[in-house]
Amino acid sequence: QVQLVESGGGLVQAGGSLRLSCAASTRTFSNYVMGWFRQAPGKERELVAAIRWGNGGSTHYADSVKGLFTISRDNDKNTVYLQMNSLKPEDTAVYYCAADSGGLFSAVLAQRPERYNGWGQGTQVTVSS
């Protein structure tokens, strides 16, 4: 099972930016669909963004972050990133990196947490108003 380690969370003021990183311990990283989920207190875990395997030519975003967040991957570094701009207090949550080795990619499938067979420990993002 792939091991994932997130970094880059922290406290930022509204309107600020953060970049999350997720390093994967696998030699076949390019074969994985990668996703970023988040979970706020009292809420269900939700998909923020996902990127297809390979060169990541296809991505999917939650409506709430379209145009503000960007997911990308560097297969040489076994790392997936989430650049978050114009952060809002409602973006406050624990952010999780996830890996899906299932081989299929679509907006519908990417939103299903059960599709992912590897999860990071999470990194806290807090946006102050």
Side-chain angles (χ1 to χ4, degrees):
Q1 184 173 353
V2 60
Q3 303 296 315
L4 304 171
V5 178
E6 302 101 334
S7 60
L11 174 64
V12 64
Q13 289 188 334
S17 299
L18 282 175
R19 188 176 83 154
L20 305 183
S21 299
C22 172
S25 62
T26 174
R27 296 181 180 179
T28 58
F29 176 73
S30 63
N31 294 345
Y32 285 81
V33 170
M34 299 299 297
W36 284 99
F37 286 76
R38 67 186 180 187
Q39 187 167 19
K43 295 188 176 181
E44 293 187 352
R45 191 170 296 191
E46 63 173 356
L47 179 75
V48 176
I51 188 167
R52 199 190 68 176
W53 41 264
N55 63 6
S58 293
T59 56
H60 172 71
Y61 295 91
D63 288 342
S64 59
V65 305
K66 280 182 181 176
L68 301 175
F69 291 10
T70 303
I71 188 171
S72 62
R73 66 189 301 156
D74 185 337
N75 292 334
D76 291 335
K77 296 182 178 180
N78 285 2
T79 301
V80 63
Y81 304 97
L82 184 68
Q83 177 66 44
M84 304 185 294
N85 297 328
S86 301
L87 284 160
K88 306 169 185 176
E90 50 263 42
D91 294 317
T92 295
V94 178
Y95 283 70
Y96 297 92
C97 174
D100 171 15
S101 62
L104 300 176
F105 181 80
S106 73
V108 173
L109 292 175
Q111 295 178 62
R112 298 177 180 173
E114 64 269 22
R115 290 280 306 179
Y116 296 82
N117 47 11
W119 291 86
Q121 80 287 354
T123 186
Q124 177 70 45
V125 171
T126 302
V127 184
S128 63
S129 57

